[in-house]
Amino acid sequence: MATKSFLKEVVIRDSRLANQFVDALSKSAEKAAKGMHKQEPMELSRMNTELKGEDIKNFFGVK
């Protein structure tokens, strides 16, 4: 997911749409908590390495 897409400010002016949005987030959180989201196995086409903490800063050259 691109960083710009989830850092963008969104203004919902219609209260009906705001309520629908909150309901959708709540339902999604409930499903996630119950483990109802299907996770299908996937095959990766490239090697990968998980980076955590300081490794992320080092990867991007942040000092």
Side-chain angles (χ1 to χ4, degrees), residues 8 11-12 23 25 28 32 36 39 45-46 54 59 61-62:
K8 185 171 180 152
V11 178
I12 303 174
D23 288 342
L25 289 176
S28 179
M36 294 175 65
Q39 295 182 353
S45 61
R46 298 185 179 140
E54 286 295 317
F59 181 81
V62 176

Side-chain angles (χ1 to χ4, degrees), residues 26-42:
S26 295
K27 287 179 183 177
S28 179
E30 288 172 9
K31 283 184 176 182
K34 293 178 182 177
M36 294 175 65
H37 289 287
K38 293 181 182 176
Q39 295 182 353
E40 298 179 10
M42 69 168 55

Side-chain angles (χ1 to χ4, degrees), residues 6-20:
F6 64 86
L7 293 178
K8 185 171 180 152
E9 182 178 334
V10 176
V11 178
I12 303 174
R13 296 172 197 233
D14 183 339
S15 62
R16 182 181 61 81
L17 293 175
N19 286 332
Q20 287 178 345

